[in-house]
Amino acid sequence: MKIAKKLTVGLVDDHAITRKGLKALLEMTNQYNVILEASTGKELVHLLQITSQHPDMIILDVSMPELDGYQTLTTVNSTYPLIKILIFSFYHTDDVILNVLSKGACGYVSKNTDPEILLEAVQSVSQYGFYLNDQQKRKLGQQKLKKSRTGFHGKQVLTEKEIQFIRFATSNLTYKEIAIAMNVPPKTLENYRDSVFQKLGINNRAALTLYAIQNGIVQLF
């Protein structure tokens, strides 16, 4: 019987008790292995530079000394694009969520949430590449994006197939399931994804979901 590979996780928070609680919560599921802990963004960047084993996902706080979550997110996303980043913070205004998503985060969870919701978010980011709950989607859909933000250019630059891909990508389907739904080979779907990301200047499904909501490609009721 083949044993499923555990998802490796890094925890970045300046409170040791928070990191210990997160580690215990994740590892008790027997699905996750915490391989990295850092108390600041600066420490995280240093650890990533000196280690050969990088985590699949990082759970990152926004408010930290030396290098805050926004700067850390930008640095890690540009240097290690394969690492998925989930924001876990007390700061939960719409602007904060919008900001971290536009900088490359795969999702956001408030520190006030139930542990089950955090585990749901971690699983969603691992499996689908993003996490936004319905309430977040509705609230963010009402926000106005500043014209200076990268990538949000409307849907006139997209082909019909690319728009169809975006609609499927905002759902909880894996890329393999999306390829089946669109009746195309996985390689063709990868081409749609890469083209959409390049045209819109974004690189993950959370930002793509936000784009789709705010440009009327998907409707929320």
Side-chain angles (χ1 to χ4, degrees), residues 36 41-58 67 71-86 103-106 203-204:
L36 180 152
K42 184 177 180 180
E43 183 182 1
L44 169 66
V45 172
H46 174 68
L47 290 174
L48 291 175
Q49 290 172 341
I50 64 173
T51 183
S52 59
Q53 185 182 10
H54 295 152
D56 300 309
M57 180 189 306
I58 290 173
L67 198 65
Q71 296 168 306
T72 304
L73 175 59
T74 300
T75 300
V76 174
N77 192 49
S78 62
T79 310
Y80 309 98
L82 295 182
I83 299 178
K84 298 179 175 69
I85 300 178
L86 176 66
K103 291 181 182 295
C106 293
N203 65 357
N204 66 59

Side-chain angles (χ1 to χ4, degrees), residues 9 11 22 40 50 62-63 98 121 125 139 160 167 177 185 191 194:
V9 180
L11 305 176
L22 285 173
T40 68
I50 64 173
V62 169
S63 178
L98 186 64
V125 170
K139 291 180 69 177
E160 286 301 318
R167 290 194 178 108
E177 291 168 338
N191 292 337
D194 294 346

